[in-house]
Amino acid sequence: MNHIRNFCIIAHIDHGKSTLADRLLECTKTIQITEGQMLDNMDLERERGITIKSHAIQMEYVSGGEKYILNLIDTPGHVDFSYEVSRSIAACEGALLVVDATQGVQAQTISNLYMAIEHDLEIIPVINKIDMPSAMPDEVEDEIVELIGCDPEDIIRASGKTGEGVTDILEAVVKRIPAPVGDPQAPLQALVFDSIFNSFRGIITLCKVENGCIRKGDKVKFFNTGMEYTADEVGVLKMDMIPTNQLATGEVGYIISGIKNAKEVKVGDTVTRVDRPCEEAIAGFQEVKPMVFAGVYPIDPSDYENLRASIEKLQLNDASLTFTPESSVALGFGFRCGFLGLLHMEIVQERLDREFNMDVITTVPNVSYMVYDKHGSAKEVHNPSGLPEQTLIEHIEEPYIRATIITDANFIGPIMKLCLDKRGELIKQEYVSGNRVELHFMIPLGEIVIDFYDKLKSISKGYASFDYHIDCFRPSKLAKLDILLNGEPVDALSTLTHESNAVTLGRKMCEKLKELIPRQQFDIAIQAAIGAKIIARETVKQVRKDVTAKCYGGDVSRKRKLLEKQKKGKKRMKQIGNVEVPQKAFLAVLKLD
C-alpha cells in the first residue's frame, strides 16, 4: 500500500491537463502516444477539443530503486462538467493544480482548488506551457503563492508539449502525495466514483477500495440499493481494462458483475461483501444541482421506452444528468431533464444521437409553478400546456431561489445589473478575503434556468462562482406566451414569462423563427399570442413559381386566370400542409438574448 499514489489533475479550461497527462503516460512508458489527448477517447471530445468525462489510468514508475503504482485521473476543465471533477477528487489523496503560464490563475483553478482542499488533498502546483513565447512564469508563480500560501520552491515549472519538468512532477507525486490510508483487515468498503455501460458485459463499476480487499468471485452488495452480485471480474484500468485476481486497499480499479439494470448502480454508493458487510457507507459526494431544465421528447412517440433506456444508460456515465417523466399535449410522452448548463445540455443531446441513435426534440427550459384557481385549490404545473384557462386562474406563484455569487470585486457592477435585470433583489454583500466579494440575491428560478449562468460566466470572465437553493414561492404576474404557426399553437415553444418581458420575448421569438423555418409553397404566419391577443407577427414568404412565363403577350386576362388558379392551389395546400419546425429552431430560441 505504501507504493500506491492516487492523484488527479485539476485546472481551468485549456490549461493543458490532457496534454500533460499524455506526457506522464509517455514518461512512465505506459502507452505509445500516437496522437494528442490519448485519454479523450470520445468522438465529441476529439471534435470539440475539450474533456467531457474524467478518465482514470494506472501507471508504473520507478523512483530510488522502488516501483510505485500511480493512479491518475484526468478531469474536465469546463464548469458544466464540474461534477465529474468533484467525483474524481473523492477518489484521490492528492492533486496536480495546473496553471497556464500565459493565462495565470483563473476561475475554475480557484473553484477546483477549493473542492480539493475541502477533501484534504495534498496540492502540487504546476506551471504549464513555460515554453510559450508569451509565458510569464514569475508573475504566475506569485499568483499561486498568494492563492495557496506555498513556498515558491514547491512550484514545478513544466511543459506538456516539450516534456520539460515531467520527471520532477512524477518525483513530487511519489514524495509529496501520501499513500492511501485504510485497513486491509477491515470489512470491504469501496467507493463507486464512476460507471460505464457495456452492452455485452453489463454495467462496469469503477471504484476505489478504501478498506479491505475484493477478490474475483466474491459475493458483493451495494450498500444503498442493497442489491447483491458476484464479482465476475476485477481489475485495473490501463488504456484497456486489465483483469487481476484482487483489488487491495487503496487501489483504484473496476468490478464487472453482470448488472443489467441501470437503476441498480448509483455513483457515490459503497460496495461491500455479503459475508462480512461494513457498518456504514463511505460519505459520498454532494448531491448534484441542475441549473437548466428542459423537456426531452422522442421524435417518434413509439420510441419512448427506448429513450428511457438510453437516458438511464447515459446517466450511468454522466451522473450529473437528472430526469423525471412528463407528458405534453403535442409531443406525447417524454422526460424533463436537469442539466448543469447549456453546454452540458448540448453534449447530452449529441451523445443521445451518436451513442444511442435517439433523435429527440428539446423544449424551451422551464420550472414548476403553483397555480391557484378561483375555487382556492392549488396545483403544481411543470409545463405551460398544463395551465388552466386564463379566466379560471386566481394567481400564479413562482419559485424563488437564494443565490450566492462569489466574485472578484472588479465585476460587482455588471453582476448587480445582470441580477437586477433578472428581477433579483440584493439581500446582502460582504467581502470574504482580499479582493473577493460574496453577494446574496433572491431571484425567480424561471429567470436563471436558461442563460443566466452562461451570462454570469462571460461578464465575470469566468471568475464568478454561483450556488443556489430553492427558498420559497411568491405570487407573480406571469403570462403564458404561445407561438402559433398558421394559427396552430406549437406546444414545445410555449413559455411562461413575466408580463413585463412578454412582448419583447414574443417579438424576438417570431423574428428568430422567421430566419430558421424553411420556406414552403405557401405563406407561413408566425404569431406570438398571450391568450387570444396577438402581440407579434412575422411571415415566411412562399416560394413562388413564375406560372405566367409562357403567356408572352396576349390579353392580360389570360395571366389573371392562371394566377387565380395558382392562388386556389396555394390556399388548398395551406389547409393540408403542415409546417416542420427544425430542431435548430428549438435550440436557437433558448439562446435568445
Side-chain angles (χ1 to χ4, degrees), residues 455 481 483 501-515 526 528 535-536 538 588-589 591-593:
K455 280 185 179 166
L481 181 67
I483 298 290
N501 301 344
V503 176
T504 18
L505 182 66
R507 200 164 288 147
K508 281 181 181 166
M509 282 171 92
C510 288
E511 285 166 8
K512 195 74 189 170
L513 287 168
K514 183 185 177 183
E515 291 169 24
I526 304 169
I535 54 170
E538 293 286 338
V589 170
K591 299 200 170 89
L592 280 180
D593 200 6

PDB file of all heavy atoms in Angstrom, residues 455 481 483 501-515 526 528 535-536 538 588-589 591-593:
ATOM      1  N   LYS A 455     -24.282  33.768 -18.947  1.00  0.00           N
ATOM      2  CA  LYS A 455     -24.020  35.219 -18.977  1.00  0.00           C
ATOM      3  C   LYS A 455     -23.140  35.633 -17.808  1.00  0.00           C
ATOM      4  O   LYS A 455     -22.247  36.473 -17.946  1.00  0.00           O
ATOM      5  CB  LYS A 455     -25.340  35.990 -18.909  1.00  0.00           C
ATOM      6  CG  LYS A 455     -26.058  36.060 -20.236  1.00  0.00           C
ATOM      7  CD  LYS A 455     -27.291  36.925 -20.128  1.00  0.00           C
ATOM      8  CE  LYS A 455     -27.987  36.999 -21.468  1.00  0.00           C
ATOM      9  NZ  LYS A 455     -29.336  37.531 -21.334  1.00  0.00           N
ATOM     10  N   LEU A 481     -47.046  32.618 -22.920  1.00  0.00           N
ATOM     11  CA  LEU A 481     -46.760  33.095 -24.273  1.00  0.00           C
ATOM     12  C   LEU A 481     -46.812  31.906 -25.226  1.00  0.00           C
ATOM     13  O   LEU A 481     -46.069  30.940 -25.058  1.00  0.00           O
ATOM     14  CB  LEU A 481     -45.357  33.729 -24.279  1.00  0.00           C
ATOM     15  CG  LEU A 481     -44.867  34.306 -25.598  1.00  0.00           C
ATOM     16  CD1 LEU A 481     -45.683  35.527 -25.991  1.00  0.00           C
ATOM     17  CD2 LEU A 481     -43.406  34.701 -25.507  1.00  0.00           C
ATOM     18  N   ILE A 483     -46.717  30.389 -29.230  1.00  0.00           N
ATOM     19  CA  ILE A 483     -46.276  30.668 -30.594  1.00  0.00           C
ATOM     20  C   ILE A 483     -47.205  29.899 -31.541  1.00  0.00           C
ATOM     21  O   ILE A 483     -47.404  28.692 -31.371  1.00  0.00           O
ATOM     22  CB  ILE A 483     -44.811  30.206 -30.815  1.00  0.00           C
ATOM     23  CG1 ILE A 483     -43.870  30.969 -29.878  1.00  0.00           C
ATOM     24  CG2 ILE A 483     -44.384  30.392 -32.263  1.00  0.00           C
ATOM     25  CD1 ILE A 483     -43.689  32.438 -30.195  1.00  0.00           C
ATOM     26  N   ASN A 501     -41.838  41.115 -19.589  1.00  0.00           N
ATOM     27  CA  ASN A 501     -40.935  40.623 -20.654  1.00  0.00           C
ATOM     28  C   ASN A 501     -41.677  40.095 -21.865  1.00  0.00           C
ATOM     29  O   ASN A 501     -41.077  39.859 -22.906  1.00  0.00           O
ATOM     30  CB  ASN A 501     -40.092  39.431 -20.162  1.00  0.00           C
ATOM     31  CG  ASN A 501     -39.253  39.783 -18.968  1.00  0.00           C
ATOM     32  OD1 ASN A 501     -39.076  40.955 -18.687  1.00  0.00           O
ATOM     33  ND2 ASN A 501     -38.761  38.784 -18.263  1.00  0.00           N
ATOM     34  N   ALA A 502     -43.009  39.830 -21.698  1.00  0.00           N
ATOM     35  CA  ALA A 502     -43.720  39.008 -22.688  1.00  0.00           C
ATOM     36  C   ALA A 502     -43.642  39.562 -24.103  1.00  0.00           C
ATOM     37  O   ALA A 502     -43.342  38.828 -25.044  1.00  0.00           O
ATOM     38  CB  ALA A 502     -45.165  38.827 -22.264  1.00  0.00           C
ATOM     39  N   VAL A 503     -43.898  40.885 -24.261  1.00  0.00           N
ATOM     40  CA  VAL A 503     -43.979  41.432 -25.617  1.00  0.00           C
ATOM     41  C   VAL A 503     -42.628  41.374 -26.316  1.00  0.00           C
ATOM     42  O   VAL A 503     -42.532  40.927 -27.469  1.00  0.00           O
ATOM     43  CB  VAL A 503     -44.527  42.887 -25.593  1.00  0.00           C
ATOM     44  CG1 VAL A 503     -44.530  43.482 -26.980  1.00  0.00           C
ATOM     45  CG2 VAL A 503     -45.936  42.889 -25.012  1.00  0.00           C
ATOM     46  N   THR A 504     -41.568  41.771 -25.594  1.00  0.00           N
ATOM     47  CA  THR A 504     -40.232  41.736 -26.232  1.00  0.00           C
ATOM     48  C   THR A 504     -39.826  40.310 -26.569  1.00  0.00           C
ATOM     49  O   THR A 504     -39.306  40.048 -27.652  1.00  0.00           O
ATOM     50  CB  THR A 504     -39.134  42.325 -25.297  1.00  0.00           C
ATOM     51  OG1 THR A 504     -39.658  42.333 -23.974  1.00  0.00           O
ATOM     52  CG2 THR A 504     -38.708  43.709 -25.682  1.00  0.00           C
ATOM     53  N   LEU A 505     -40.104  39.375 -25.643  1.00  0.00           N
ATOM     54  CA  LEU A 505     -39.728  37.977 -25.887  1.00  0.00           C
ATOM     55  C   LEU A 505     -40.499  37.431 -27.087  1.00  0.00           C
ATOM     56  O   LEU A 505     -39.924  36.794 -27.968  1.00  0.00           O
ATOM     57  CB  LEU A 505     -40.002  37.123 -24.644  1.00  0.00           C
ATOM     58  CG  LEU A 505     -39.609  35.656 -24.763  1.00  0.00           C
ATOM     59  CD1 LEU A 505     -38.107  35.499 -24.889  1.00  0.00           C
ATOM     60  CD2 LEU A 505     -40.093  34.839 -23.577  1.00  0.00           C
ATOM     61  N   GLY A 506     -41.803  37.732 -27.144  1.00  0.00           N
ATOM     62  CA  GLY A 506     -42.637  37.262 -28.263  1.00  0.00           C
ATOM     63  C   GLY A 506     -42.105  37.756 -29.591  1.00  0.00           C
ATOM     64  O   GLY A 506     -42.002  37.008 -30.572  1.00  0.00           O
ATOM     65  N   ARG A 507     -41.731  39.041 -29.620  1.00  0.00           N
ATOM     66  CA  ARG A 507     -41.236  39.637 -30.871  1.00  0.00           C
ATOM     67  C   ARG A 507     -39.924  38.967 -31.297  1.00  0.00           C
ATOM     68  O   ARG A 507     -39.736  38.632 -32.456  1.00  0.00           O
ATOM     69  CB  ARG A 507     -41.023  41.138 -30.639  1.00  0.00           C
ATOM     70  CG  ARG A 507     -40.984  41.948 -31.904  1.00  0.00           C
ATOM     71  CD  ARG A 507     -41.169  43.420 -31.621  1.00  0.00           C
ATOM     72  NE  ARG A 507     -42.536  43.750 -31.232  1.00  0.00           N
ATOM     73  CZ  ARG A 507     -42.842  44.717 -30.362  1.00  0.00           C
ATOM     74  NH1 ARG A 507     -41.898  45.416 -29.792  1.00  0.00           N
ATOM     75  NH2 ARG A 507     -44.096  44.964 -30.071  1.00  0.00           N
ATOM     76  N   LYS A 508     -39.036  38.783 -30.299  1.00  0.00           N
ATOM     77  CA  LYS A 508     -37.741  38.168 -30.630  1.00  0.00           C
ATOM     78  C   LYS A 508     -37.902  36.734 -31.128  1.00  0.00           C
ATOM     79  O   LYS A 508     -37.219  36.311 -32.061  1.00  0.00           O
ATOM     80  CB  LYS A 508     -36.836  38.153 -29.391  1.00  0.00           C
ATOM     81  CG  LYS A 508     -36.178  39.500 -29.122  1.00  0.00           C
ATOM     82  CD  LYS A 508     -35.292  39.397 -27.909  1.00  0.00           C
ATOM     83  CE  LYS A 508     -34.626  40.724 -27.593  1.00  0.00           C
ATOM     84  NZ  LYS A 508     -34.047  40.727 -26.262  1.00  0.00           N
ATOM     85  N   MET A 509     -38.815  35.993 -30.494  1.00  0.00           N
ATOM     86  CA  MET A 509     -39.019  34.598 -30.903  1.00  0.00           C
ATOM     87  C   MET A 509     -39.536  34.529 -32.333  1.00  0.00           C
ATOM     88  O   MET A 509     -39.096  33.703 -33.132  1.00  0.00           O
ATOM     89  CB  MET A 509     -39.985  33.884 -29.945  1.00  0.00           C
ATOM     90  CG  MET A 509     -39.332  33.476 -28.642  1.00  0.00           C
ATOM     91  SD  MET A 509     -40.515  32.882 -27.427  1.00  0.00           S
ATOM     92  CE  MET A 509     -40.522  31.147 -27.750  1.00  0.00           C
ATOM     93  N   CYS A 510     -40.474  35.427 -32.667  1.00  0.00           N
ATOM     94  CA  CYS A 510     -41.022  35.435 -34.033  1.00  0.00           C
ATOM     95  C   CYS A 510     -39.925  35.742 -35.057  1.00  0.00           C
ATOM     96  O   CYS A 510     -39.834  35.101 -36.098  1.00  0.00           O
ATOM     97  CB  CYS A 510     -42.138  36.462 -34.157  1.00  0.00           C
ATOM     98  SG  CYS A 510     -43.626  35.956 -33.313  1.00  0.00           S
ATOM     99  N   GLU A 511     -39.088  36.748 -34.727  1.00  0.00           N
ATOM    100  CA  GLU A 511     -38.028  37.132 -35.675  1.00  0.00           C
ATOM    101  C   GLU A 511     -37.046  35.978 -35.869  1.00  0.00           C
ATOM    102  O   GLU A 511     -36.598  35.693 -36.978  1.00  0.00           O
ATOM    103  CB  GLU A 511     -37.279  38.365 -35.148  1.00  0.00           C
ATOM    104  CG  GLU A 511     -38.081  39.652 -35.312  1.00  0.00           C
ATOM    105  CD  GLU A 511     -37.506  40.806 -34.507  1.00  0.00           C
ATOM    106  OE1 GLU A 511     -36.399  40.654 -33.933  1.00  0.00           O
ATOM    107  OE2 GLU A 511     -38.168  41.862 -34.437  1.00  0.00           O
ATOM    108  N   LYS A 512     -36.714  35.287 -34.753  1.00  0.00           N
ATOM    109  CA  LYS A 512     -35.751  34.193 -34.829  1.00  0.00           C
ATOM    110  C   LYS A 512     -36.319  33.046 -35.655  1.00  0.00           C
ATOM    111  O   LYS A 512     -35.627  32.458 -36.495  1.00  0.00           O
ATOM    112  CB  LYS A 512     -35.426  33.714 -33.403  1.00  0.00           C
ATOM    113  CG  LYS A 512     -34.204  32.861 -33.319  1.00  0.00           C
ATOM    114  CD  LYS A 512     -32.958  33.715 -33.476  1.00  0.00           C
ATOM    115  CE  LYS A 512     -31.720  32.885 -33.613  1.00  0.00           C
ATOM    116  NZ  LYS A 512     -30.562  33.661 -34.002  1.00  0.00           N
ATOM    117  N   LEU A 513     -37.609  32.727 -35.422  1.00  0.00           N
ATOM    118  CA  LEU A 513     -38.219  31.611 -36.156  1.00  0.00           C
ATOM    119  C   LEU A 513     -38.328  31.918 -37.641  1.00  0.00           C
ATOM    120  O   LEU A 513     -38.221  31.039 -38.483  1.00  0.00           O
ATOM    121  CB  LEU A 513     -39.598  31.281 -35.573  1.00  0.00           C
ATOM    122  CG  LEU A 513     -39.560  30.582 -34.210  1.00  0.00           C
ATOM    123  CD1 LEU A 513     -40.939  30.562 -33.585  1.00  0.00           C
ATOM    124  CD2 LEU A 513     -39.044  29.168 -34.335  1.00  0.00           C
ATOM    125  N   LYS A 514     -38.531  33.207 -37.952  1.00  0.00           N
ATOM    126  CA  LYS A 514     -38.636  33.582 -39.370  1.00  0.00           C
ATOM    127  C   LYS A 514     -37.330  33.238 -40.100  1.00  0.00           C
ATOM    128  O   LYS A 514     -37.344  32.797 -41.245  1.00  0.00           O
ATOM    129  CB  LYS A 514     -38.934  35.085 -39.496  1.00  0.00           C
ATOM    130  CG  LYS A 514     -39.125  35.510 -40.937  1.00  0.00           C
ATOM    131  CD  LYS A 514     -39.310  37.000 -41.078  1.00  0.00           C
ATOM    132  CE  LYS A 514     -39.420  37.367 -42.555  1.00  0.00           C
ATOM    133  NZ  LYS A 514     -39.527  38.811 -42.763  1.00  0.00           N
ATOM    134  N   GLU A 515     -36.192  33.438 -39.410  1.00  0.00           N
ATOM    135  CA  GLU A 515     -34.894  33.123 -40.042  1.00  0.00           C
ATOM    136  C   GLU A 515     -34.730  31.615 -40.229  1.00  0.00           C
ATOM    137  O   GLU A 515     -34.105  31.171 -41.182  1.00  0.00           O
ATOM    138  CB  GLU A 515     -33.734  33.581 -39.143  1.00  0.00           C
ATOM    139  CG  GLU A 515     -33.582  35.073 -39.006  1.00  0.00           C
ATOM    140  CD  GLU A 515     -32.577  35.406 -37.894  1.00  0.00           C
ATOM    141  OE1 GLU A 515     -31.714  34.560 -37.590  1.00  0.00           O
ATOM    142  OE2 GLU A 515     -32.678  36.515 -37.329  1.00  0.00           O
ATOM    143  N   ILE A 526     -46.194  33.438 -38.573  1.00  0.00           N
ATOM    144  CA  ILE A 526     -45.663  33.110 -37.236  1.00  0.00           C
ATOM    145  C   ILE A 526     -46.183  34.182 -36.297  1.00  0.00           C
ATOM    146  O   ILE A 526     -45.918  35.367 -36.497  1.00  0.00           O
ATOM    147  CB  ILE A 526     -44.119  33.149 -37.240  1.00  0.00           C
ATOM    148  CG1 ILE A 526     -43.553  32.209 -38.305  1.00  0.00           C
ATOM    149  CG2 ILE A 526     -43.567  32.804 -35.880  1.00  0.00           C
ATOM    150  CD1 ILE A 526     -42.072  32.383 -38.540  1.00  0.00           C
ATOM    151  N   ALA A 528     -47.018  35.461 -32.111  1.00  0.00           N
ATOM    152  CA  ALA A 528     -46.871  35.259 -30.663  1.00  0.00           C
ATOM    153  C   ALA A 528     -48.143  35.766 -30.029  1.00  0.00           C
ATOM    154  O   ALA A 528     -48.617  36.858 -30.369  1.00  0.00           O
ATOM    155  CB  ALA A 528     -45.674  36.038 -30.150  1.00  0.00           C
ATOM    156  N   ILE A 535     -49.533  39.448 -30.080  1.00  0.00           N
ATOM    157  CA  ILE A 535     -48.655  40.578 -29.723  1.00  0.00           C
ATOM    158  C   ILE A 535     -47.523  40.779 -30.733  1.00  0.00           C
ATOM    159  O   ILE A 535     -46.845  41.801 -30.710  1.00  0.00           O
ATOM    160  CB  ILE A 535     -48.049  40.395 -28.309  1.00  0.00           C
ATOM    161  CG1 ILE A 535     -47.346  39.036 -28.193  1.00  0.00           C
ATOM    162  CG2 ILE A 535     -49.106  40.540 -27.239  1.00  0.00           C
ATOM    163  CD1 ILE A 535     -46.525  38.882 -26.950  1.00  0.00           C
ATOM    164  N   ALA A 536     -47.300  39.804 -31.630  1.00  0.00           N
ATOM    165  CA  ALA A 536     -46.240  39.983 -32.637  1.00  0.00           C
ATOM    166  C   ALA A 536     -46.526  39.055 -33.802  1.00  0.00           C
ATOM    167  O   ALA A 536     -47.129  38.004 -33.634  1.00  0.00           O
ATOM    168  CB  ALA A 536     -44.881  39.641 -32.026  1.00  0.00           C
ATOM    169  N   GLU A 538     -44.746  37.659 -37.753  1.00  0.00           N
ATOM    170  CA  GLU A 538     -43.800  37.672 -38.872  1.00  0.00           C
ATOM    171  C   GLU A 538     -44.344  36.703 -39.910  1.00  0.00           C
ATOM    172  O   GLU A 538     -45.088  35.779 -39.578  1.00  0.00           O
ATOM    173  CB  GLU A 538     -42.413  37.178 -38.427  1.00  0.00           C
ATOM    174  CG  GLU A 538     -41.682  38.081 -37.451  1.00  0.00           C
ATOM    175  CD  GLU A 538     -41.123  39.341 -38.081  1.00  0.00           C
ATOM    176  OE1 GLU A 538     -40.926  39.332 -39.310  1.00  0.00           O
ATOM    177  OE2 GLU A 538     -40.886  40.319 -37.362  1.00  0.00           O
ATOM    178  N   ALA A 588     -32.283  27.492 -30.955  1.00  0.00           N
ATOM    179  CA  ALA A 588     -31.976  28.924 -31.133  1.00  0.00           C
ATOM    180  C   ALA A 588     -32.834  29.778 -30.213  1.00  0.00           C
ATOM    181  O   ALA A 588     -32.387  30.796 -29.695  1.00  0.00           O
ATOM    182  CB  ALA A 588     -32.209  29.326 -32.577  1.00  0.00           C
ATOM    183  N   VAL A 589     -34.076  29.336 -29.978  1.00  0.00           N
ATOM    184  CA  VAL A 589     -34.963  30.121 -29.126  1.00  0.00           C
ATOM    185  C   VAL A 589     -34.415  30.175 -27.698  1.00  0.00           C
ATOM    186  O   VAL A 589     -34.571  31.159 -26.994  1.00  0.00           O
ATOM    187  CB  VAL A 589     -36.398  29.520 -29.173  1.00  0.00           C
ATOM    188  CG1 VAL A 589     -37.282  30.149 -28.132  1.00  0.00           C
ATOM    189  CG2 VAL A 589     -36.991  29.729 -30.549  1.00  0.00           C
ATOM    190  N   LYS A 591     -31.347  30.386 -26.900  1.00  0.00           N
ATOM    191  CA  LYS A 591     -30.176  31.266 -26.807  1.00  0.00           C
ATOM    192  C   LYS A 591     -30.528  32.712 -27.143  1.00  0.00           C
ATOM    193  O   LYS A 591     -29.653  33.512 -27.416  1.00  0.00           O
ATOM    194  CB  LYS A 591     -29.082  30.756 -27.749  1.00  0.00           C
ATOM    195  CG  LYS A 591     -28.613  29.351 -27.388  1.00  0.00           C
ATOM    196  CD  LYS A 591     -27.259  29.053 -27.986  1.00  0.00           C
ATOM    197  CE  LYS A 591     -26.668  27.778 -27.446  1.00  0.00           C
ATOM    198  NZ  LYS A 591     -27.027  26.595 -28.163  1.00  0.00           N
ATOM    199  N   LEU A 592     -31.841  33.033 -27.145  1.00  0.00           N
ATOM    200  CA  LEU A 592     -32.243  34.413 -27.440  1.00  0.00           C
ATOM    201  C   LEU A 592     -31.678  35.336 -26.382  1.00  0.00           C
ATOM    202  O   LEU A 592     -31.722  35.034 -25.200  1.00  0.00           O
ATOM    203  CB  LEU A 592     -33.775  34.529 -27.399  1.00  0.00           C
ATOM    204  CG  LEU A 592     -34.501  34.057 -28.645  1.00  0.00           C
ATOM    205  CD1 LEU A 592     -35.983  34.228 -28.449  1.00  0.00           C
ATOM    206  CD2 LEU A 592     -34.072  34.864 -29.852  1.00  0.00           C
ATOM    207  N   ASP A 593     -31.179  36.476 -26.793  1.00  0.00           N
ATOM    208  CA  ASP A 593     -30.613  37.392 -25.810  1.00  0.00           C
ATOM    209  C   ASP A 593     -31.701  38.335 -25.333  1.00  0.00           C
ATOM    210  O   ASP A 593     -32.278  39.041 -26.125  1.00  0.00           O
ATOM    211  CB  ASP A 593     -29.465  38.172 -26.477  1.00  0.00           C
ATOM    212  CG  ASP A 593     -28.563  38.752 -25.424  1.00  0.00           C
ATOM    213  OD1 ASP A 593     -28.809  38.433 -24.252  1.00  0.00           O
ATOM    214  OD2 ASP A 593     -27.644  39.497 -25.758  1.00  0.00           O
TER     215      ASP A 593
END
